[in-house]
């Protein structure tokens, strides 16, 4: 067995390992056991749409929300998410990826019960706030875990599978809301976190986290489980490679880290000073990780891609979509149309799972971004000539078709791309913090867009909103073409080199590699 200090020669050779099909089965099983948690994400993220559809300006109801209250309720979930994301980077250090995912589902259960029993706008907002905090806390360990436990040729597929389950959760939410009142929906949803705890308890902890903690025996057992419940000698080569990669990633900060770990209180000092010194050392370590150029360069790219992703998905309009569809005067129930549009997005994510290994992320993201930009601009043109007082029913198929097409191509790549990158592009040292900060930023963007949507619509009208976000999406096509590397089929160590001065540009934009596995 290797140690982090003594990687073998074989550990320096990066590449796919010749595991049998049981390895794939084990990794897919782990992903499937995580799907209830992602279902819950989708249900919580679509929850404001359901509640606002029932309560926004519905003055006949005992509980209703005006425009200002609706803007806060629709966006506060995104506002509190970043706090959970930042905290998760620290909790992962002590609880691990699995432990963090288990803990947060207790918070989810409390949030659903609070929503079910809410009798005032304040309690509704507290429930949404709690959900946002929990989602933020949970996303970073989830994506870190997927990146660390999966083989390169499966990583993007498994990540896409999990993110597609978020769409499925939203679809389930829309379907239940079509059949039952929103309080009943909340009560039914409270069972999902309980089921999630049962599922997550069955998966192993990340072998990478175990190695970073010096628990090498546990790490090798975990790796054996994830590679098809095999024996240590089968996984020895990958285990040694992993040890060597962790050691290499840690060397640059080794001296400073040792100094912080050897902190000792002077004679006569009290325990409070010791605790403060250790906490201060941890904060310095995390800050140094966050300001490392190896982390900042991919972090900048992920930040920019998240903006395009949110614009592509029309995230700002999400909580108010039922009201928007009602204004279009469609002959069908707006909730049913919302379900169909969501179903097309889910179909797009399934196509991503099937095609990403063959086509790669670059080609799929450019197709996705370009098509959605075209649909948004056409929606802007339609709204410019749409007359609410003189509706022509024969033309209602135009916005419906455009929304369905935009939903499909948005799900095809851009809804998934930033989360796929989040599990791949960050260096090992700082991956937890980078993932947490990225998820936090993504939801700050969502909060700002959602909170200002009603004001933006009043200012530039609905057609202006479509033109505005269509323009952002169109600019995204140029950015992705110029700066997005192809990471499909590449090892995490290879991807790290793309953000250094000595990167190989030809290799960076090369087609995805077909694994022998």
């Amino acid at each position: 067995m290797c140690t982090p200090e003594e990687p073998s020669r074989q550990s320096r050779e990066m590449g796919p390992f010749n595991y049998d099909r049981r390895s794939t089965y084990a990794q897919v099983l782990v992903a499937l056991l995580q799907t209830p948690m992602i279902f819950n994400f989708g249900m919580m993220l679509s929850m404001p749409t359901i509640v606002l559809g029932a309560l926004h300006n519905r003055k006949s109801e005992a509980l209703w929300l005006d425009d200002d209250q609706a803007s806060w309720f629709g966006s506060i979930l995104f506002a509190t998410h970043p706090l959970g994301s930042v905290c998760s980077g620290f909790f992962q250090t002590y609880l691990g990826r699995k432990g963090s995912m288990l803990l947060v589902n207790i918070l989810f259960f409390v949030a659903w019960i609070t929503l079910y029993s809410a009798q005032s706008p304040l309690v509704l907002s507290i429930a949404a706030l709690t959900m946002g905090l929990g989602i933020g806390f949970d996303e970073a360990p989830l994506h870190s875990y997927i990146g660390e436990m999966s083989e390169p040729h499966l990583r993007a597929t498994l990540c896409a599978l999990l993110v597609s389950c978020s769409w499925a959760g939203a679809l389930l939410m829309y379907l239940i809301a079509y059949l039952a009142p929103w309080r009943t929906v909340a009560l039914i949803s409270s069972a999902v976190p309980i089921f999630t705890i049962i599922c997550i308890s069955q998966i192993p902890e990340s072998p990478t986290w175990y190695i970073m903690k010096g628990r090498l025996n546990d790490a090798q057992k975990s790796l054996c489980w994830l590679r098809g419940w095999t024996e240590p000698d089968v996984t020895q080569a990958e285990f040694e490679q992993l040890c060597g990669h962790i050691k290499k990633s840690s060397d640059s900060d080794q001296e400073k880290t040792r100094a912080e770990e050897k902190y000792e209180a002077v004679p006569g000092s009290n325990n409070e000073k010791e605790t403060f010194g250790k906490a201060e050392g941890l904060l310095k370590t995390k800050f140094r990780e966050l300001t490392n150029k190896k982390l900042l360069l991919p972090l900048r790219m992920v930040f920019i891609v998240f903006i395009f992703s949110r614009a592509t998905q029309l995230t700002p309009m999400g909580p108010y979509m039922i009201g928007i569809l009602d204004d279009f005067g469609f002959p069908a129930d707006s909730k049913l149309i919302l379900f169909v549009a969501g179903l097309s997005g889910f179909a797009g994510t399934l196509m991503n799972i099937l095609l990403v290994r063959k086509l790669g992320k670059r080609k799929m993201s450019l197709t996705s971004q370009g098509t959605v930009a075209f649909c948004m601009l056409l929606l802007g043109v339609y709204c410019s000539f749409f007359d609410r007082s003189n509706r022509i029913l024969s033309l209602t198929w135009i916005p419906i078709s455009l929304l369905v097409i935009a939903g499909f191509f948005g799900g095809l790549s851009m809804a998934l791309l930033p989360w796929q990158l989040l599990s791949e592009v960050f260096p090992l040292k700082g991956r937890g913090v980078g993932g947490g900060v990225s998820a936090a930023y993504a939801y700050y963007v969502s909060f700002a867009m959602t909170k200002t949507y009603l004001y933006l619509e009043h200012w530039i009208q609905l057609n202006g909103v479509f033109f505005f976000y269509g323009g952002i999406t169109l600019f995204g096509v140029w950015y992705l073409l110029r700066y997005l590397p192809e990471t499909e089929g590449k090892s995490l160590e290879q991807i790290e080199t793309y953000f250094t001065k000595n990167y190989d540009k030809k290799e960076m934009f090369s087609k995805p590699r077909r694994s022998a596995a």
Side-chain angles (χ1 to χ4, degrees):
M1 181 180 296
C2 77
T3 66
E5 290 77 16
E6 298 176 347
S8 70
R9 179 178 180 180
Q10 189 176 13
S11 73
R12 303 187 191 100
E13 299 174 0
M14 307 296 292
F17 297 92
N18 294 321
Y19 295 118
D20 58 26
R21 291 184 178 181
R22 290 188 304 171
S23 175
T24 300
Y25 297 155
Q27 293 168 73
V28 171
L29 177 60
V30 168
L32 291 176
L33 288 171
Q34 291 176 297
T35 54
M37 181 169 60
I38 311 301
F39 264 87
N40 196 39
F41 285 3
M43 296 172 75
M44 288 186 291
L45 290 172
S46 60
M47 174 274 300
T49 304
I50 305 304
V51 176
L52 288 179
L55 303 181
H56 184 203
N57 287 333
R58 307 296 174 121
K59 299 182 180 180
S60 60
E61 301 289 335
L63 176 60
W64 65 280
L65 303 174
D66 60 27
D67 283 351
D68 188 57
Q69 291 170 330
S71 69
W72 277 110
F73 178 74
S75 60
I76 198 170
L77 183 149
F78 301 122
T80 56
H81 177 288
L83 178 60
S85 296
V86 173
C87 291
S88 72
F90 296 95
F91 275 88
Q92 285 183 72
T93 302
Y94 298 102
L95 300 179
R97 320 309 191 199
K98 176 182 175 180
S100 298
M101 290 187 284
L102 284 172
L103 178 65
V104 77
N105 277 280
I106 300 173
L107 194 64
F108 291 149
F109 175 77
V110 172
W112 282 118
I113 294 300
T114 302
L115 180 66
Y116 167 74
S117 59
Q119 298 296 329
S120 69
L122 176 61
V123 178
L124 285 173
S125 296
I126 291 174
L129 183 151
T130 306
M131 289 181 181
L133 189 68
I135 294 175
F137 184 93
D138 208 16
E139 279 184 341
L142 169 66
H143 290 282
S144 294
Y145 186 90
I146 290 297
E148 292 168 358
M149 72 90 179
S150 56
E151 295 177 77
H153 71 284
L154 291 175
R155 193 183 307 121
T157 301
L158 296 179
C159 185
L161 171 64
L162 291 177
V163 178
S164 68
C165 288
S166 179
W167 286 77
L171 281 175
L172 180 61
M173 194 73 164
Y174 297 147
L175 181 61
I176 299 174
Y178 180 68
L179 302 172
W182 66 271
R183 288 191 189 275
T184 303
V185 174
L187 184 61
I188 294 172
S189 302
S190 66
V192 178
I194 298 175
F195 183 62
T196 300
I197 291 175
I198 297 173
C199 291
I200 297 297
S201 64
Q202 305 305 308
I203 66 176
E205 179 57 86
S206 163
T208 299
W209 183 80
Y210 275 140
I211 293 174
M212 293 174 71
K213 290 296 179 180
R215 298 167 59 177
L216 301 183
N217 289 333
D218 290 332
Q220 190 145 43
K221 290 178 182 178
S222 174
L223 190 60
C224 288
W225 197 106
L226 293 167
R227 296 301 178 259
W229 309 280
T230 187
E231 298 299 324
D233 59 329
V234 178
T235 62
Q236 185 66 23
E238 184 179 6
F239 180 67
E240 292 180 349
Q241 171 189 294
L242 191 57
C243 290
H245 181 44
I246 291 173
K247 179 181 182 298
K248 181 178 179 181
S249 299
S250 301
D251 280 344
S252 60
D253 291 325
Q254 192 171 26
E255 292 184 3
K256 293 182 180 179
T257 302
R258 283 176 180 172
E260 288 162 0
E261 290 177 347
K262 290 181 179 179
Y263 170 82
E264 294 180 359
V266 296
S269 65
N270 54 33
N271 290 332
E272 292 182 0
K273 290 182 179 179
E274 290 185 23
T275 303
F276 177 78
K278 292 177 181 178
E280 186 179 23
L282 178 62
L283 288 173
K284 287 181 179 179
T285 299
K286 297 300 180 184
F287 180 76
R288 187 167 60 251
E289 291 174 1
L290 192 59
T291 54
N292 190 322
K293 286 186 178 181
K294 290 183 179 180
L295 180 64
L296 284 177
L297 291 176
L299 189 66
R300 180 181 63 184
M301 184 188 70
V302 170
F303 276 15
I304 295 173
V305 172
F306 263 123
I307 294 177
F308 299 139
S309 175
R310 293 299 186 245
T312 301
Q313 298 175 77
L314 290 176
T315 297
M317 305 174 72
Y320 317 103
M321 190 57 75
I322 291 178
I324 294 171
L325 294 175
D326 286 341
D327 288 342
F328 273 119
F330 296 136
D333 191 310
S334 295
K335 293 180 182 177
L336 185 59
I337 296 173
L338 191 63
F339 175 78
V340 173
L343 185 62
S344 69
F346 179 62
T349 63
L350 294 181
M351 290 300 295
N352 182 283
I353 295 173
L354 296 175
L355 298 177
V356 67
R357 290 180 59 188
K358 181 178 181 180
L359 300 180
K361 297 184 185 69
R362 271 180 60 84
K363 185 178 292 187
M364 295 185 69
S365 64
L366 289 168
T367 302
S368 169
Q369 190 88 342
T371 306
V372 174
F374 179 71
C375 290
M376 285 189 189
L377 295 175
L378 286 182
L379 282 167
V381 173
Y382 177 86
C383 292
S384 298
F385 298 98
F386 173 69
D387 185 1
R388 287 182 172 84
S389 62
N390 187 24
R391 298 186 178 98
I392 302 176
L393 293 180
S394 61
L395 297 181
T396 57
W397 64 269
I398 295 177
I400 293 176
S401 300
L402 291 174
L403 287 171
V404 170
I405 293 172
F408 175 82
F409 280 94
L412 181 66
S413 177
M414 288 309 298
L416 307 174
L417 179 64
W419 303 109
Q420 291 171 328
L421 295 176
L422 193 147
S423 66
E424 295 178 324
V425 298
F426 295 129
L428 178 61
K429 194 168 185 64
R431 185 174 297 157
V433 173
V437 171
S438 296
Y441 168 83
Y443 282 88
Y444 268 132
V445 170
S446 298
F447 167 71
M449 288 181 169
T450 307
K451 183 68 178 72
T452 58
Y453 170 75
L454 290 176
Y455 307 106
L456 184 65
E457 185 185 355
H458 291 158
W459 181 35
I460 61 176
Q461 304 303 315
L462 185 60
N463 62 323
V465 172
F466 280 121
F467 284 133
F468 178 69
Y469 287 114
I472 293 176
T473 305
L474 190 60
F475 177 73
V477 175
W478 173 84
Y479 179 86
L480 296 177
L481 182 63
R482 184 173 177 85
Y483 294 109
L484 180 68
E486 181 56 75
T487 60
E488 181 60 26
K490 313 292 178 63
S491 71
L492 295 179
E493 187 174 46
Q494 288 170 324
I495 295 171
E496 282 187 36
T497 65
Y498 297 160
F499 301 95
T500 63
K501 292 182 179 179
N502 299 321
Y503 74 91
D504 184 340
K505 191 170 184 178
K506 184 177 179 180
E507 170 70 17
M508 181 177 178
F509 297 114
S510 64
K511 295 180 180 180
R513 295 181 178 178
R514 303 300 299 274
S515 171

